[in-house]
Amino acid sequence: MSLGFPNKKATYTKKANKANLGMDLEEAINDTNSYYLSNDIAVIHKKPTPVQIVKVDYPMRSKAVITEAYYKIPSTTDYNGIYKGKYIDFEAKENHNKTAFPLANIHPHQIEHLDKIIKHGGIGFLIVYFSHTDEYFLTPFEVVKRFWDNKEKDRKSIPYNVFKEEAHLIKLSYMPRLDYLKVVDELYFKKD
């Protein structure tokens, strides 16, 4: 007996929208941070981007619309907070390149910022998502800095195999969605 439904399975394709690059990674991290906060594990938040509002239109008294705004200063990194008494600061990057992570995706002020975090005893890293392989890596800042410092005389990217060998895979799960603090525990809070 047919109910009028086609026998074919529905297939869906996700269009790449360049305006939303990194939004899936950001959403996974935000969900994870909400889990950490609600379970009293850590307090880590996305940093707001400082914006200067220049022009506002009022089409109706109750509906103001910002029509012109500029970044006040370059934002440092995406996330910061505290975990087990240590300050944590990190940048999240989504990468669509199959063989490497271009260093052009990182800004000099972000490198300087993370360098200062490390020098003052904080924990700094990048979470890099390789969309082609659907892998999330917690990448210690020292790995990124090594390539950054040699980019003028060496290559201008970090090869994928470096992530496989020197970064740490973060497994996607249900709760928390992207448990990066599990990797932080292994790297920075090892018990002797």
Side-chain angles (χ1 to χ4, degrees):
M1 173 178 177
S2 173
L3 297 175
F5 296 111
N7 290 334
K8 293 181 181 178
K9 289 184 180 179
T11 57
Y12 301 93
T13 56
K14 187 176 178 183
K15 266 190 175 178
N17 180 354
K18 298 237 183 216
N20 288 329
L21 287 180
M23 292 308 289
D24 291 337
L25 173 61
E26 187 176 296
E27 184 180 321
I29 293 171
N30 291 343
D31 288 350
T32 299
N33 289 343
S34 292
Y35 176 88
Y36 291 155
L37 186 61
S38 65
N39 288 280
D40 202 26
I41 296 168
V43 179
I44 301 170
H45 295 288
K46 178 153 179 50
K47 294 180 193 175
T49 304
V51 175
Q52 173 70 48
I53 297 171
V54 178
K55 186 177 177 187
V56 179
D57 285 342
Y58 297 93
M60 294 174 54
R61 182 176 284 213
S62 63
K63 295 190 179 191
V65 177
I66 298 170
T67 57
E68 189 175 352
Y70 301 97
Y71 295 117
K72 280 186 182 180
I73 55 172
S75 182
T76 52
T77 52
D78 290 330
Y79 295 90
N80 70 344
I82 191 157
Y83 175 59
K84 293 186 177 179
K86 285 285 246 181
Y87 179 76
I88 289 183
D89 201 300
F90 66 95
E91 179 69 15
K93 297 289 186 186
E94 188 161 329
N95 182 35
H96 298 285
N97 189 308
K98 294 178 183 179
T99 59
F101 173 74
L103 289 170
N105 290 347
I106 308 170
H107 302 287
H109 68 275
Q110 293 173 321
I111 294 292
E112 291 170 22
H113 176 75
L114 286 169
D115 202 26
K116 287 178 183 176
I117 297 302
I118 301 296
K119 285 180 183 174
H120 287 276
I123 296 171
F125 53 87
L126 270 72
I127 292 179
V128 179
Y129 173 60
F130 276 81
S131 62
H132 180 69
T133 58
D134 198 27
E135 293 175 306
Y136 298 84
F137 292 98
L138 188 146
T139 312
F141 176 68
E142 296 77 17
V143 173
V144 176
K145 182 88 161 76
R146 186 176 78 236
F147 281 87
W148 181 269
D149 289 346
N150 292 316
K151 71 180 180 179
E152 297 307 320
K153 56 186 172 203
D154 203 12
R155 55 184 300 137
K156 297 185 184 326
S157 63
I158 303 173
Y160 172 73
N161 69 323
V162 170
F163 287 89
K164 294 295 277 183
E165 295 167 8
E166 298 183 51
H168 304 272
L169 189 65
I170 308 168
K171 299 206 187 263
L172 204 57
S173 63
Y174 177 66
M175 286 291 190
R177 192 163 162 198
L178 190 64
D179 194 5
Y180 63 88
L181 288 182
K182 186 175 187 178
V183 178
V184 168
D185 279 338
E186 293 168 10
L187 290 174
Y188 302 101
F189 296 99
K190 288 181 186 173
K191 293 184 180 177
D192 296 324

